[in-house]
Amino acid sequence: MRLVLPMVLMGALVLAVGLTPATPPSNDAPAGFDNKSNGLVDDATHQADQTTFEEVEQISDGLGPLYNAQSCRECHQNPVSGGPSQVNELRVGHVGSKGEFENPAIPIADGKEVITGRTLVNDRAICPNGAYRDTEIQERAPDTEKVRTFRVSLNLLGDGFVEAVPDQALIDMAKEQCRKSHGKICGVALRVPVLEAPGETAIGRFGWKDQHASLLSFSADAYLNEMGITNRLQPDEVTNLCNTVSEPNDKVGADGLSDIDHFARFVRASKAPPPDHTLTVTDKAKRGSEVFDKIGCNDCHVRTMTTAAAGTKVNGGAFTVPDALGSKQFYPYSDFLLHDVGTGDGIVIPVPEHYGRAFAKYAWKEMAPNNFQPTRYRMRTAPLWGVRMRTRLMHDGASLTPRDAIVRHKGEAEKAANRFRTLPAADQQALLAFLQSL
Ligand code: HEC
Ligand code: HEC
């Protein structure tokens, strides 16, 4: 017995050691292209929210009159719902007499109406149709609108973690980056309105121009401007020609939520884009990862970020960081700041389009009249998580390979791009292999 007892004890000890993880549980944000929730809601709720995100809207639901697509998924789908896609949209404007950017004036219906306050030119319209045979409302870029660009669809997966980064972290990052580079790389942390918190602002982080801080605000904006569905945060139609369904088109459901609430929750509950685990462990990708830091790509394409603790209020107080999104580390490869890398499209954020026609009604705190001017030639650092799933790179989708995208970087990123050019061929290949693993 004397011998057996210690052995039993030892067995228990070994078992206990075997069960205790060597490292504390990871606070990494869950990642995966698996349509599963990150823990914010249960999988059934997430699936139901995804169904709303994928729903194909009809004219009887309020689609249009001007629109780009019938469902969020049409543009956010690769490789799963919520990812990016090749679909792009058209934005135009012109330079005014004082050299400043001005929003376009787009006549429709043979000039009976002029659409203003947006830079977006919708590619589709619901009429002429059987009920309106003679009403032709197709938007087209007029010759006079000489500032023109495409903007390609963005990834939404993992954006709940991005939303949960405190404003101050982005402001501090901008300062530190500028200090460290002796003023050569100074990202702009842009203050934008939060539609669901009238009068409040937060630091923008979504869209190619950081035009929104809140996923609910972005969902309301997209529902109106991409699909023509008015909602409680964007209640005004772009045109009333051919309009038949009463506003807001997005009605409150039996669960007390509107479609925009389901969209925002779908995105908030999505997992981050996972890296390609087969490639990340290769020597080539590991070497490429070192090169990425060495030549300064990570000055803007910041590897690691951490969300605020659960219970922190963000979005001007309108959203409280839930447990599933609190104190998580994630790997976006972006600082979410605006930079001039020589590719800027010349377009300033159009205020009525993104923040609503009633924008002027509210006193938005901390917003100077020229608040949006820095967005003219600056773009948000493109997050590189999931970049291997993209076929058309940069805001306009005009760079078809990562190498093309890299050598297009100028301005604040000129030095990094030049260092890439002068790398030994093997290091260039390693860097590209690393990007391929993201
Ligand atoms: C016609 C294509 C299209 C449709 C439909 C569409 N989007 Fe987008 N989405 C885009 C494009 C293009 C961008 C980038 C726009 C920009 O910044 O100019 C974008 C950006 C976004 C972003 C910002 C993501 C980020 O990380 O910066 C969110 C959130 C978003 N869309 C949500 C939605 C939701 C919700 C719907 C459905 C209501 C929707 N989108 C419908 C094309 C589309
Ligand atoms: C000064 C900040 C900055 C630096 C430094 C920088 N980038 Fe970028 N990067 C950006 C911005 C801003 C964009 C978006 C530009 C646009 O869309 O016009 C971008 C876009 C990209 C894209 C396209 C991604 C997509 O989804 O379209 C890739 C790839 C990329 N960068 C890789 C790199 C690499 C590799 C390096 C180092 C050689 C680097 N960048 C250095 C700011 C930077």
Side-chain angles (χ1 to χ4, degrees):
M1 274 315 268
R2 249 186 222 158
L3 269 175
V4 172
L5 201 71
M7 270 172 68
V8 170
L9 267 174
M10 263 172 66
L13 249 172
V14 167
L15 206 78
V17 168
L19 284 176
T20 314
T23 44
S26 148
N27 61 345
D28 273 10
F33 289 133
D34 59 6
N35 296 318
K36 295 277 196 286
S37 164
N38 61 26
L40 179 80
V41 292
D42 58 50
D43 284 334
T45 306
H46 189 54
Q47 187 52 58
D49 288 341
Q50 181 171 326
T51 304
T52 312
F53 183 85
E54 295 177 345
E55 200 176 311
V56 177
E57 302 296 333
Q58 309 295 339
I59 293 177
S60 56
D61 299 315
L63 179 73
L66 301 169
Y67 70 109
N68 280 337
Q70 281 179 278
S71 117
C72 305
R73 182 180 64 178
E74 256 186 78
C75 304
H76 298 290
Q77 193 183 26
N78 195 38
V80 293
S81 277
S85 80
Q86 85 286 7
V87 178
N88 66 24
E89 53 184 46
L90 173 61
R91 289 184 183 274
V92 304
H94 58 267
V95 177
S97 56
K98 294 192 199 93
E100 73 290 12
F101 175 79
E102 284 177 357
N103 291 333
I106 302 185
I108 58 168
D110 295 324
K112 278 199 224 33
E113 199 169 308
V114 179
I115 308 294
T116 59
R118 317 203 296 165
T119 60
L120 191 65
V121 181
N122 283 130
D123 286 296
R124 307 183 200 177
I126 59 168
C127 65
N129 62 28
Y132 293 93
R133 286 168 206 272
D134 300 320
T135 314
E136 203 272 89
I137 61 165
Q138 179 60 48
E139 279 196 298
R140 283 175 291 266
D143 277 328
T144 46
E145 304 300 341
K146 297 235 184 291
V147 182
R148 300 166 189 169
T149 190
F150 288 123
R151 296 242 189 103
V152 78
S153 305
L154 285 166
N155 165 65
L156 318 181
L157 300 171
D159 273 356
F161 301 103
V162 181
E163 188 181 37
V165 171
D167 284 354
Q168 197 58 44
L170 298 177
I171 295 168
D172 291 346
M173 200 175 337
K175 274 202 200 118
E176 175 58 15
Q177 180 181 74
C178 195
R179 191 193 60 76
K180 227 179 68 190
S181 67
H182 306 287
K184 295 209 172 59
I185 299 179
C186 301
V188 172
L190 187 75
R191 232 168 229 297
V192 298
V194 178
L195 303 187
E196 62 272 32
E200 299 294 330
T201 58
I203 300 297
R205 59 202 67 191
F206 298 121
W208 284 104
K209 296 270 180 181
D210 278 339
Q211 59 264 37
H212 282 294
S214 144
L215 289 168
L216 183 59
S217 293
F218 210 118
S219 299
D221 179 342
Y223 216 14
L224 174 66
N225 289 300
E226 306 289 0
M227 297 167 66
I229 310 273
T230 53
N231 54 75
R232 71 173 188 279
L233 297 177
Q234 286 276 10
D236 301 311
E237 284 287 10
V238 174
T239 176
N240 278 309
L241 294 172
C242 303
N243 191 30
T244 50
V245 182
S246 64
E247 296 0 295
N249 304 151
D250 180 10
K251 309 264 188 296
V252 184
D255 56 1
L257 302 180
S258 304
D259 288 351
I260 54 171
D261 302 306
H262 290 284
F263 300 150
R265 192 170 66 184
F266 168 67
V267 179
R268 284 170 179 158
S270 64
K271 291 187 182 176
D276 180 328
H277 294 295
T278 323
L279 282 181
T280 42
V281 295
T282 60
D283 289 342
K284 202 168 168 186
K286 282 189 196 152
R287 170 75 193 141
S289 175
E290 287 166 22
V291 174
F292 186 83
D293 289 357
K294 203 179 88 190
I295 65 173
C297 305
N298 66 343
D299 287 347
C300 303
H301 295 281
V302 173
R303 222 172 253 269
T304 310
M305 281 206 191
T306 310
T307 63
T312 309
K313 285 198 184 307
V314 295
N315 293 348
F319 184 60
T320 304
V321 175
D323 285 342
L325 304 180
S327 304
K328 292 282 183 226
Q329 252 184 38
F330 63 105
Y331 307 94
Y333 296 89
S334 176
D335 54 8
F336 298 97
L337 302 172
L338 296 172
H339 291 277
D340 182 349
V341 297
T343 58
D345 54 19
I347 292 184
V348 174
I349 289 181
V351 169
E353 174 182 336
H354 295 301
Y355 313 121
R357 309 261 150 192
F359 175 80
K361 267 202 321 221
Y362 305 115
W364 299 92
K365 279 184 203 159
E366 306 169 72
M367 212 134 72
N370 61 352
N371 183 66
F372 297 108
Q373 287 309 314
T375 65
R376 187 167 180 183
Y377 293 111
R378 288 182 178 85
M379 307 303 300
R380 176 184 74 166
T381 303
L384 300 180
W385 55 0
V387 72
R388 71 183 184 284
M389 303 311 298
R390 299 186 68 93
T391 52
R392 303 172 193 206
L393 303 170
M394 309 296 262
H395 68 278
D396 52 8
S399 304
L400 301 184
T401 70
R403 181 190 291 274
D404 286 359
I406 296 168
V407 298
R408 231 178 117 186
H409 286 60
K410 301 203 166 54
E412 292 179 69
E414 177 107 59
K415 194 168 157 199
N418 282 341
R419 290 173 83 181
F420 173 79
R421 282 190 190 87
T422 54
L423 282 176
D427 280 351
Q428 284 192 356
Q429 288 306 331
L431 179 68
L432 296 173
F434 170 62
L435 292 179
Q436 198 60 46
S437 75
L438 296 180

